[in-house]
Amino acid sequence: MKKVVIIPTYNEIENIEAMIEKVFSLPGEFDMLVIDDGSPDGTADVVRKAMAQKYAGKLHMIERPGKLGLGTAYLTGFKWALQQGYDYIFEMDCDFSHDPDDLVRLFKACHEGGADVAIGSRYVTGVNVINWPIGRVIMSYYASAYVRRVLGIPVRDCTAGFVCFRSDVLRTIDLDHIRMKGYGFQIEMKYSAWKLGFRITEVPIIFTDRTRGSSKMSSGIFGEAFWGVLSMRFRKIRPAVHH
C-alpha cells in the first residue's frame, strides 16, 4: 500500500522541517511530495537538505516558478502520484492546522472502512475549529452549507483541504477539466467524486489555525468559490478518458 502526502508550500520555512519529521515518524510508512511555488524564504532549500540527508526516495519535491494557486499545485501532485503508482494520495496543509496524526485515521477510513474519499472534517460533529476569529468560522461554516444546498452533496465540510483519495478516484476524475484554483478546487474535487459514484466519508478532526507563518486567504478565493459552485451545478461531470 503506497501512500503519499502532498503538501503545497509558499513561505513555510517556519513549519516545513517539523512537518517533514512528523509525517515520517507516523506508523504505516507515508511518503511526502512538497510542491513549492518559488518560496523566497528558502522553504525548498530545507526540503532539498532533508531529501539528501535523511529521506532519499521517500521525500520528493516539485518546484514551480511562482505562486500558481493551490488547485494547480494539487493537480500537479495528483498526476505525479498516479504516475508513481501510489495507492492512497493525501492532501494537507503545511502549517499544522491539520494534525498529521489524523493521516492515519483518514487512511483507515479508506483502507478498512471502505471509503473512496475520506475528508478530515471540521463540521461533521459540530464546529471543531480552534483559534479562528468567529467571523471566519461563520463564513466557512455557511460556505459549506451553501455548497450542500446548491449542489445537493451530502458533505458537511466541502471546503476541507485535508483529504485521502484512493488512486482510482483521481484516475476517474478528469483532472484536466477541474477549473477552480482556490478553495473552490476543494469543492470541485469532492463534487466530482460524488457525482462519479464514489463513496465519501467524513472523519471528525480538530482544526487549529496556524501559529507560525501567515495565512494565504483572500476575498477573491471566496468569490471564485461562490460563482463556481453555481456554474458547477449545471455542468456534466464525466469520467476521464484514458487513451
Side-chain angles (χ1 to χ4, degrees), residues 31-151:
D31 289 0
M32 188 194 283
L33 170 65
V34 174
I35 303 207
D36 187 67
D37 273 5
S39 299
D41 70 351
T43 299
D45 298 332
V46 175
V47 179
R48 252 192 301 277
K49 195 168 146 194
M51 284 166 70
Q53 293 178 357
K54 282 177 100 167
Y55 301 113
K58 291 183 65 60
L59 176 59
H60 309 275
M61 180 167 58
I62 294 173
E63 293 184 71
R64 306 198 304 171
K67 285 187 82 170
L68 301 173
L70 187 73
T72 64
Y74 278 127
L75 291 170
T76 298
F78 292 161
K79 289 174 181 177
W80 179 90
L82 292 174
Q83 283 168 352
Q84 304 298 318
Y86 284 98
D87 303 294
Y88 294 90
I89 298 155
F90 299 77
E91 49 169 86
M92 74 180 288
D93 292 346
C94 189
D95 60 11
F96 285 93
S97 52
H98 302 141
D99 182 347
D101 285 323
D102 289 330
L103 288 166
V104 178
R105 295 170 59 226
L106 293 180
F107 171 64
K108 277 192 172 146
C110 287
H111 187 58
E112 292 167 22
D116 299 306
V117 180
I119 299 167
S121 177
R122 296 164 292 188
Y123 306 128
V124 73
T125 55
V127 177
N128 293 324
V129 176
I130 295 173
N131 291 347
W132 263 15
I134 188 67
R136 189 163 166 198
V137 173
I138 290 167
M139 188 158 64
S140 171
Y141 184 81
Y142 282 104
S144 271
Y146 165 76
V147 172
R148 274 201 312 283
R149 171 67 54 86
V150 173
L151 298 179

